[in-house]
Amino acid sequence: QQQVKQSPQSLIVQKGGISIINCAYENTAFDYFPWYQQFPGKGPALLIAIRPDVSEKKEGRFTISFNKSAKQFSLHIMDSQPGDSATYFCAATLGGADGLTFGKGTHLIIQP
Amino acid sequence: NAGVTQTPKFQVLKTGQSMTLQCAQDMNHEYMSWYRQDPGMGLRLIHYSVGAGITDQGEVPNGYNVSRSTTEDFPLRLLSAAPSQTSVYFCASSRVGVEGEQFFGPGTRLTVL
């Protein structure tokens, strides 16, 4: 049973455009929702995260929008740049030692 | 400050062989974990530890063993390698209480023939 569903699987965006990646979760006990960025040959790195009592969080060009009633959250990358080309994973955690439950990832390509 | 380090970077095994993937962190993190990454599957938790002497199973523990004798080290052992264990393995660490903010190592790419 996949607890975090991520879409799209791949995404191509023109430089300067907005990249949007969506995730939906099933377990209402999740209480922390991070996004990780992974470049080829590297480990994932934490990009931005949100708690369910907040509807939006912005850090630079990256914004998480959170809809608790719909059990959905999304990552928006404004003014997308070629250096943003990477695989992005949404994740969720129960807040304890059970670790992260990851979505399957989105391969993002920003075309110059 | 090296963060999370993993060795080896690449490994090829034959079916039935055993090996240990090494992981170390120098951030004094209590929580450490192992994930495997397969194409189109995201990352799945294998085992985790909340401190020296304490380990527990994740989502996909079969065929793997772990131990935690020190805060710094968390090795992953493959007992009898199978082709289904061909994957990229990532070790991660964090402070207890902020397990959502994991620091990942560079990964070990394992091929089992």
Side-chain angles (χ1 to χ4, degrees):
Chain A
Q1 180 183 3
Q2 185 188 357
Q3 294 197 60
V4 179
K5 294 184 179 180
Q6 183 171 347
S7 62
Q9 188 173 348
S10 60
L11 180 63
I12 300 174
V13 175
Q14 295 297 313
K15 178 183 176 182
I18 303 174
S19 304
I20 302 174
I21 304 171
N22 300 300
C23 284
Y25 63 96
E26 299 168 4
N27 189 343
T28 56
F30 286 138
D31 71 349
Y32 195 69
F33 300 87
W35 284 87
Y36 284 80
Q37 179 188 55
Q38 183 181 31
F39 293 106
K42 305 293 185 183
L46 179 65
L47 183 64
I48 187 173
I50 197 168
R51 294 199 179 276
D53 54 350
V54 176
S55 61
E56 184 175 282
K57 183 174 182 181
K58 183 175 181 180
E59 290 184 1
R61 296 183 294 108
F62 300 91
T63 299
I64 301 178
S65 297
F66 191 87
N67 186 330
K68 189 174 181 179
S69 61
K71 295 188 288 185
Q72 295 175 346
F73 58 110
S74 59
L75 176 69
H76 295 236
I77 306 174
M78 312 300 288
D79 187 26
S80 299
Q81 299 296 313
D84 297 330
S85 297
T87 299
Y88 292 81
F89 293 96
C90 61
T93 180
L94 296 171
D98 290 336
L100 293 159
T101 299
F102 282 91
K104 293 187 175 183
T106 296
H107 182 50
L108 174 65
I109 297 173
I110 307 301
Q111 290 186 334
Chain B
N1 193 341
V4 179
T5 57
Q6 293 183 237
T7 56
K9 199 166 181 62
F10 301 95
Q11 183 69 51
V12 179
L13 291 178
K14 294 182 180 179
T15 297
Q17 288 184 315
S18 62
M19 80 158 295
T20 299
L21 307 185
Q22 301 292 342
C23 174
Q25 52 91 11
D26 61 359
M27 296 174 283
N28 203 30
H29 286 165
E30 305 95 338
Y31 184 88
M32 296 187 74
S33 55
W34 278 100
Y35 290 84
R36 60 177 289 173
Q37 182 176 22
D38 302 293
M41 294 293 292
L43 290 94
R44 293 179 292 170
L45 181 65
I46 304 171
H47 284 285
Y48 64 91
S49 168
V50 297
I54 306 170
T55 63
D56 208 341
Q57 297 180 351
E59 179 186 356
V60 288
N62 292 341
Y64 307 96
N65 265 359
V66 292
S67 60
R68 184 95 178 269
S69 57
T70 67
T71 299
E72 295 78 19
D73 301 297
F74 191 43
L76 177 73
R77 279 182 286 277
L78 280 70
L79 309 172
S80 177
S84 61
Q85 294 178 304
T86 293
S87 187
V88 181
Y89 292 85
F90 289 101
C91 179
S93 73
S94 74
R95 290 181 291 122
V96 168
V98 285
E99 291 85 359
E101 298 178 4
Q102 296 280 316
F103 291 82
F104 282 84
T108 294
R109 182 174 293 275
L110 175 68
T111 301
V112 183
L113 302 175

